Amino acid sequence: MRDLHMHSVYSDGKNTVEEMILSAIDRGLDCVGLSEHSHTEGDECSMTCEGTEAYRAEMAELKKKYAGRIEVLCGLERDYYSDDNLEYDYVIGSIHWIKMPGGHKLPIDWLAEKQREGVEKYFGGDWYAFAEAYYEMESQVVDVTKCDIIGHFDLLTKFAEQDPYFDLQHPRYVKAWKAAADRLLKTGKPFEINTGAISRGYRTEPYPAKDIRDYIRLNGGKLILSSDSHQKETIAYRFQDWLSEIR
């Protein structure tokens, strides 16, 4: 078993990369990948340029140190707006915010209140227009980030279980995500089944939602498990619950 989506103190995680690797070994994983947030101007959760260099250097050393015990991969979660074009063992492509007129940011997953304020301010409270803008960007995430894995496809629904601010079965919403999924399916890149919001108490189901996962599988898409862990205790979080969906 492998887990390729996790973060350390180099970006917004709580543990060092070595602590994350050791926890993965304790949990019986065959392969572990760190995927720090790429340097992105204006994103306080991303790595600095200096941190990026240090991360890559430490990961190279830890690969050697733990060879024979676990396969260690140096990955990156590259944001849509990232300026990091370096080579990594793999890249996860993600969108965490939308750049609005005047350089303002509309956060996708930071705080429910900030998301709601942004939708009111920039989309006149039209959540479906917000979703359409998000999924139009999401449809391009492979092209823009050159990723190997599509990260948390429907991240904009992070708070939807606790605060159902729009209908996830509304025709406009469904049309938006299907259009993005159709374009991404053509790339052949796998989508995450991401359990990170479950371990942090925001959701009871992983990203993407079950109807989206079913659509991906029905249309020949691939799914992989990832924990999006930000601390050593949640590596491979509840993977057993969705193993049957992996292909």
Side-chain angles (χ1 to χ4, degrees):
M1 183 180 293
R2 58 176 51 197
D3 189 350
L4 300 180
H5 192 162
M6 59 186 73
H7 303 281
S8 77
V9 292
Y10 278 111
S11 55
D12 59 348
K14 295 183 178 179
N15 296 99
T16 66
V17 291
E18 187 159 23
E19 287 171 338
M20 298 296 278
I21 292 168
L22 287 169
S23 181
I25 293 172
D26 289 343
R27 291 166 189 274
L29 269 64
D30 303 308
C31 176
V32 60
L34 273 290
S35 55
E36 301 299 350
H37 289 290
S38 59
H39 180 264
T40 307
E41 190 67 33
D43 189 342
E44 60 273 15
C45 291
S46 67
M47 289 190 290
T48 63
C49 293
E50 296 78 9
T52 301
E53 293 180 8
Y55 164 64
R56 288 164 60 88
E58 182 173 3
M59 289 297 289
E61 290 300 316
L62 293 175
K63 281 186 183 187
K64 299 174 185 176
K65 181 175 180 178
Y66 291 101
R69 296 182 65 185
I70 192 170
E71 182 182 8
V72 175
L73 299 178
C74 180
L76 186 77
E77 184 174 13
R78 181 173 287 147
D79 190 82
Y80 187 93
Y81 297 110
S82 176
D83 51 17
D84 184 332
N85 294 309
L86 300 172
E87 293 291 328
Y88 293 84
D89 291 329
Y90 65 95
V91 170
I92 299 170
S94 298
I95 299 170
H96 296 96
W97 47 281
I98 300 176
K99 189 179 294 184
M100 303 307 298
H104 299 290
K105 291 165 51 180
L106 194 168
I108 301 298
D109 69 329
W110 182 31
L111 294 170
E113 297 79 15
K114 293 295 183 182
Q115 187 187 56
R116 188 179 298 107
E117 288 172 6
V119 173
E120 289 293 333
K121 182 175 182 179
Y122 299 110
F123 293 94
D126 185 343
W127 284 90
Y128 303 108
F130 166 59
E132 287 160 355
Y134 170 82
Y135 281 118
E136 174 58 30
M137 290 176 59
E138 185 67 29
S139 74
Q140 305 169 41
V141 76
V142 172
D143 294 336
V144 171
T145 68
K146 310 302 180 188
C147 66
D148 304 289
I149 300 167
I150 299 163
H152 36 57
F153 175 76
D154 57 348
L155 182 63
L156 81 168
T157 65
K158 179 176 180 177
F159 310 108
E161 283 189 28
Q162 298 179 354
D163 184 8
Y165 33 75
F166 67 99
D167 181 6
L168 299 182
Q169 300 305 316
H170 190 284
R172 283 178 66 190
Y173 180 74
V174 173
K175 181 179 179 181
W177 73 249
K178 281 187 175 179
D182 287 343
R183 181 169 177 179
L184 293 172
L185 283 163
K186 292 176 182 177
T187 71
K189 303 298 183 182
F191 295 71
E192 289 182 318
I193 297 181
N194 182 314
T195 63
I198 305 174
S199 65
R200 291 190 285 280
Y202 292 105
R203 294 167 61 104
T204 59
E205 284 285 318
Y207 305 112
K210 187 177 186 303
D211 55 345
I212 300 177
R213 300 196 307 270
D214 290 345
Y215 185 85
I216 291 168
R217 288 197 307 275
L218 181 64
N219 288 279
K222 300 175 183 177
L223 294 163
I224 65 169
L225 287 164
S226 69
S227 69
D228 200 350
S229 180
H230 287 64
Q231 61 189 65
K232 62 182 183 179
E233 293 82 5
T234 55
I235 291 172
Y237 187 79
R238 288 182 58 182
F239 275 15
Q240 68 279 4
D241 293 352
W242 289 280
L243 277 174
S244 62
E245 296 192 26
I246 301 304
R247 52 180 298 171

